[in-house]
Amino acid sequence: MKGFTRISHKQLIKRFSCSPFGQAYFTASAVLQAICSELPQLHGLCALRMRQTMLVRKYGARIMNIYLIGYRCTGKSSVGKSLAKILGWSFLDADVELVKEYKITISEIVATEGWESFRKKEKHVLKRLSSLDKHVIATGGGAILDEENVKNMKKSGVSIWLRATPETVKDRILKDETTKDSRPSLTSKGLMEEIEETLIYRNPFYEKAMDFSVDTDNIDIENICLTIQKNLIEQGSGKK
């Protein structure tokens, strides 16, 4: 046609993108794409906020702590840190607090003073920690052997038993570089035999002290935390 200048497809797009309308269009498109790319994350955040709100409705009126109980290497510290972050609470490891307070490793306490002395120090630390609120606290594996410890935990919060098979515990202990200082041998027997015998003895104590249990075998920390939150919410609604 006369007076009509033929332009290429690329030129047309370039002119359109440079126009005010085109710039607005592409800006809106970019924003939309960004929102769509973040939808899974936004969905996760919304779900998290809903769980937090439900937990607050259940426990908000009664200031509390969450205690993670269980044998060595069942995930108490790792899960505790993640759970505390999700809830917006503080995390404390009772064994770490004991070492800080007495300025000596657990292995050194046991070697020089014996297990009875360690248990007394552990009780003192747990009593102090139970006076706090809105903390996730990882307890020592044998803390539940003392009735006063269990009583203090029950009065000031919820106790969650993290469980793992002897095979899982052994594998994690062997991979943990802190075992030498923080996990002295409980008996003179081989590692696997010690784990199995100690669990047989302690399991009734864990069961008596817990509000509920969560298995940690072959499950990532995120899903363990989700299971804990679900159980807390169900307990708050009266479900079992």
Side-chain angles (χ1 to χ4, degrees), residues 14-152:
K14 185 177 180 181
R15 289 187 183 182
F16 175 73
S17 62
C18 291
S19 68
F21 177 78
Q23 289 178 355
Y25 171 81
F26 285 116
T27 299
S29 296
V31 171
L32 183 59
Q33 288 179 1
I35 291 173
C36 289
S37 67
E38 296 295 330
L39 277 177
Q41 183 179 349
L42 290 171
H43 179 269
L45 287 171
C46 289
L48 170 59
R49 295 307 177 199
M50 287 179 67
R51 287 194 296 272
Q52 288 178 327
T53 300
M54 294 178 77
L55 288 172
V56 168
R57 286 176 181 172
K58 160 61 180 170
Y59 297 111
R62 179 169 66 89
I63 294 176
M64 55 159 289
N65 298 309
I66 292 176
Y67 299 94
L68 300 179
I69 63 175
Y71 195 66
R72 302 170 170 185
C73 287
T74 51
K76 292 171 292 183
S77 295
S78 300
V79 172
K81 291 173 184 177
S82 293
L83 185 62
K85 187 175 181 180
I86 289 169
L87 297 175
W89 290 8
S90 298
F91 169 77
L92 289 174
D93 185 310
D95 284 347
V96 172
E97 292 301 304
L98 188 152
V99 171
K100 283 182 182 178
E101 184 166 333
Y102 292 96
K103 296 177 175 57
I104 184 173
T105 68
I106 294 172
S107 290
E108 289 171 336
I109 294 172
V110 173
T112 58
E113 304 174 28
W115 277 106
E116 185 176 351
S117 176
F118 167 73
R119 293 300 177 200
K120 287 181 180 179
K121 288 177 170 60
E122 180 179 57
K123 181 190 289 190
H124 170 74
V125 170
L126 274 174
K127 187 174 183 179
R128 173 173 63 82
L129 297 184
S130 67
S131 67
L132 302 173
D133 53 75
K134 294 186 179 180
H135 279 69
V136 177
I137 299 169
T139 66
I144 42 75
L145 300 175
D146 188 284
E147 289 186 7
E148 187 175 337
N149 289 341
V150 175
K151 183 179 179 181
N152 285 331

Side-chain angles (χ1 to χ4, degrees), residues 6-19 22 26:
R6 186 182 295 275
I7 62 174
S8 68
H9 179 68
K10 289 183 179 180
Q11 289 176 315
L12 180 62
I13 292 176
K14 185 177 180 181
R15 289 187 183 182
F16 175 73
S17 62
C18 291
S19 68
F26 285 116

Side-chain angles (χ1 to χ4, degrees), residues 213-229:
S213 66
V214 176
D215 292 327
T216 65
D217 292 293
N218 303 313
I219 305 173
D220 60 39
I221 292 174
E222 182 181 359
N223 280 302
I224 293 171
C225 289
L226 287 172
T227 301
I228 288 173
Q229 292 173 80

Side-chain angles (χ1 to χ4, degrees), residues 191-202:
L191 180 57
M192 193 62 180
E193 189 177 0
E194 176 180 284
I195 293 169
E196 290 175 335
E197 288 193 5
T198 306
L199 282 174
I200 289 173
Y201 174 71
R202 288 186 182 177

